[in-house]
Amino acid sequence: MIYISPSVLAADFSKLGEDVSRVEGAGADFLHLDVMDGVFVPNISFGPAVIASLRRSRLLFDVHLMITKPEKMIDEFIKAGADMITFHFEACDSPEPLIRHIKEMSVRASMAISPSTPVDVLLPFLPLLDMVLIMTVEPGFGGQKLIPATVDKVRTLRRIIDENGYSCDIEVDGGISAGNVGLLTSAGANVIVAGSAIFGAPSARRAIVNMRTAAAAAVYKK
Ligand code: DX5
Ligand code: ZN
């Protein structure tokens, strides 16, 4: 199953609520919320209060934490209404207790790796994780170009997940459009984040339909 998760980083922040309703009405599955602390990444976005203010939406909230020491703030994001939380491997000293804590709170647990981090670091945690996020750009900013070398990481991970029978989704994030999504879905990704390609399009509905059609045309086969 393919899920489309529009990233609000590309929304118009002066009318965030309206923009979220727009992608919800346009057929999005999840809402991708990029939290940046100015330390882990060279940019600052928003925190739990903004997420809580959008909780009128019925979309599943896919919270991507680009923050150092995520364990310190995790409960705030759960209270704010996260349905799934992704933290970065590079930002966390001991992932396992954090994964377990997120799951105990009935929230889906996910871990991300930046483009320069090898897939191997994820392997010990795959039996526990609900999702893995492979960054296809350097985290920090929307509107960048996809780094082609990241596609192989998706392929490797999909093979390992399937060989071991793990039930772990693969999310991809950064520089994704209807033009290149097929590369990622044919490699085995099934959760697609897109900011500029959806919020920047004249019709969010058409952008989501095009993305789904291109993803389905190049779906991964075992
Ligand atoms: C980058 C963020 C992405 C970003 C995607 O650090 O994690 O979610 O907003 O935006 P686009 O689709 O514009 O590359
Ligand atoms: Zn993101």
Side-chain angles (χ1 to χ4, degrees), residues 32 34 64 66 133 135 173 193:
H32 189 81
D34 285 308
H64 177 191
M66 285 162 275
L133 167 51
M135 287 302 299
D173 182 10
V193 177

Side-chain angles (χ1 to χ4, degrees), residues 126-127 157-168 222:
L126 288 180
L157 194 62
R158 172 53 68 196
R159 184 177 45 77
I160 296 167
I161 287 173
D162 286 356
E163 276 173 8
N164 290 280
Y166 300 138
S167 59
C168 184
K222 277 189 200 179

